[in-house]
């Protein structure tokens, strides 16, 4: 298949509130990837939908969750399309979520598996990634560790990103080594959509225990999506 006709769907998989949609919105809005053909109608529609979420984050507002599987299609400047399938987070840990499981088996070329580092102690959070790995088989995938700003300093985050598999614990964060060793080192991506402001996490906890953005500055959010383009889309037959 030539690049002009190549169309691959890549799953964004993870439990509720892990940050799949916000990461994609930050990637599109903050990084403005150069491979995206912004003259394409499908791309324009996708970026319009993501822009409202990105602007909300920049205005220090929380976003809503994903209520149904959403497909975000981008046209590549070299031709062909990349579709990110943002699945419903609430069913990520349930093997009975047939539509999403069937998509992993039959629809997608690969996946980005999102895990919230603030919830690593919850078995369901880790299990959602393990369920996805079981269904993906040999399809390429990467592990995305979100919300690092909530538990790591900028310096700790920098050390962690350089060699994720060499760390069993960094700061107060105990890492899921069993899960992480299922991935190659260059397919593990610690990220932060909120980042840090004045050496403090760019967020605060509201009365409901939710992290609310405050003067966010994303860091390394582009890396897993660039992996998706280079290692999944370009390798798709």
């Amino acid at each position: 298949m030539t690049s002009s006709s190549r169309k691959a769907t890549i799953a964004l998989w993870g439990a509720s509130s892990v940050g799949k949609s916000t990461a994609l919105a930050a990637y599109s809005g903050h990084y403005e990837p150069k491979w995206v053909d912004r003259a394409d109608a499908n791309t324009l529609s996708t970026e319009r939908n993501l822009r409202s979420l990105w602007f909300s984050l920049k205005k220090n507002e929380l976003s809503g969750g994903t209520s149904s599987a959403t497909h975000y299609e981008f046209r590549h400047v070299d031709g062909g399309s990349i579709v990110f399938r943002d699945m419903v987070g609430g069913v990520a840990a349930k093997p009975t979520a047939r539509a999403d499981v069937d998509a992993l088996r039959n629809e997608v070329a690969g996946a980005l598996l999102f895990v919230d580092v603030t919830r690593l102690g919850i078995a369901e959070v880790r299990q959602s990634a393990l369920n996805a790995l079981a269904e993906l088989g040999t399809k390429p995938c990467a592990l995305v560790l979100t919300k690092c700003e909530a538990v790591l300093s900028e310096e700790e985050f920098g050390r962690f990103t350089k060699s994720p598999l060499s760390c069993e614990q960094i700061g107060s964060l105990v890492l899921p080594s069993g899960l992480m060793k299922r991935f190659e080192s260059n397919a593990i991506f610690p990220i932060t959509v909120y980042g840090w402001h004045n050496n403090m996490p760019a967020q605060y906890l509201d009365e409901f225990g939710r992290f609310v953005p405050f003067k966010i500055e994303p860091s390394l959010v582009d890396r897993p999506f660039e992996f998706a383009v280079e290692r999944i889309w370009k390798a798709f037959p």
Side-chain angles (χ1 to χ4, degrees), residues 152-219:
L152 298 176
S153 68
E154 282 189 85
E155 186 273 332
E156 290 169 336
F157 178 70
R159 285 193 283 119
F160 182 30
T161 60
K162 288 179 180 177
S163 184
L165 281 177
S166 68
C167 303
E168 292 188 1
Q169 180 171 347
I170 185 163
S172 62
L173 178 62
V174 178
L175 295 162
S177 58
L179 172 61
M180 291 174 62
K181 288 177 181 176
R182 301 282 297 273
F183 298 84
E184 298 176 8
S185 181
N186 63 357
I188 299 174
F189 300 100
I191 68 168
T192 168
V193 171
Y194 290 2
W196 295 266
H197 177 70
N198 291 338
N199 297 316
M200 294 293 291
Q203 63 185 21
Y204 63 91
L205 276 174
D206 68 7
E207 63 269 29
F208 302 106
R210 301 174 301 182
F211 290 113
V212 179
F214 180 72
K215 297 184 178 181
I216 67 173
E217 189 61 40
S219 182

Side-chain angles (χ1 to χ4, degrees), residues 84-103:
F84 291 104
R85 187 185 195 278
D86 185 3
M87 49 83 65
V88 184
V91 299
K94 301 177 183 177
T96 54
R98 295 315 322 164
D100 289 300
V101 169
D102 288 345

